Amino acid sequence: MKKIVAVLLAVVCLFVLSACANTDQTPDGMQNVALESANYYLYVSKNWIPTSYNVSGAKAHTAENAPNILATVYYPEEQVTPTSYWENDCLAEYQAVFTNFTVIGSEVEETLGGKDARAYQFSYTFGATVYQCKQVICVYDFNVYVLTYTAVATEYDSFAADFEAAVDHFTFK
């Protein structure tokens, strides 16, 4: 009987220890740059520099106009879809704020954190610099999640794959 109890106790201890094992799900070569209070994980390349201000995101290098990836959450007063959020909120604001705002291509079906999303690509001029952006918009639990990649147009393609990796690995908690 003592042997059975000892074996059972050993099995329980192994189970408890394995439950306390490292549960870090960070993909190889990536880092989580989401705020601790966020209800998601935003994984970007380990080569990127996490933002130093209170936002989930990172930048590709230290230059002033470095490509960046940011995650933002909006809390609409009424239920929206990714398409309606883009059409009714983003477009009007971007057209009012940015010079030479141009949508590149059309809405693309996407997923973000395993949820249905829509992707939009656009360019604009700010000051004398032309930027290119891609936003992936997802509505989850009545909140709007927007993952944005922004780069000077001449650098956009150089870091686009890093953004796609961030989209692919984005995870809700």
Side-chain angles (χ1 to χ4, degrees), residues 36 44 48 51 55 61 65 72 78 93 106 121 130 139 166 172:
E36 193 172 309
V44 299
W48 284 55
T51 57
V55 66
H61 49 72
N65 290 333
T72 50
E78 55 189 46
E93 182 177 338
S106 58
Q121 195 169 347
V130 177
V139 176
F172 290 104

Side-chain angles (χ1 to χ4, degrees), residues 65 67 98-102 104 122-133 150-156:
N65 290 333
F98 298 127
T99 305
N100 301 322
F101 174 79
T102 305
I104 302 169
F122 55 95
S123 66
Y124 63 89
T125 303
F126 189 75
T129 306
V130 177
Y131 292 90
Q132 194 167 331
C133 292
T150 305
V152 172
T154 56
E155 281 192 287
Y156 183 88

Side-chain angles (χ1 to χ4, degrees), residues 51-70:
T51 57
S52 58
Y53 41 94
N54 197 22
V55 66
S56 297
K59 59 184 182 174
H61 49 72
T62 58
E64 183 178 340
N65 290 333
N68 63 73
I69 297 171
L70 298 174

Side-chain angles (χ1 to χ4, degrees), residues 76-98:
E77 293 180 13
E78 55 189 46
Q79 191 167 358
V80 298
T81 66
T83 301
S84 68
Y85 184 75
W86 169 258
E87 291 174 352
N88 299 325
D89 293 285
C90 298
L91 274 179
E93 182 177 338
Y94 297 162
Q95 289 169 337
V97 172
F98 298 127

Side-chain angles (χ1 to χ4, degrees), residues 1 10 33 48 66 71 77 88 95 110 122 129 145 168 171 173:
M1 184 69 171
V33 295
W48 284 55
E77 293 180 13
N88 299 325
Q95 289 169 337
E110 182 69 79
F122 55 95
T129 306
Y145 294 83
D168 291 344
T171 308
K173 291 182 181 177

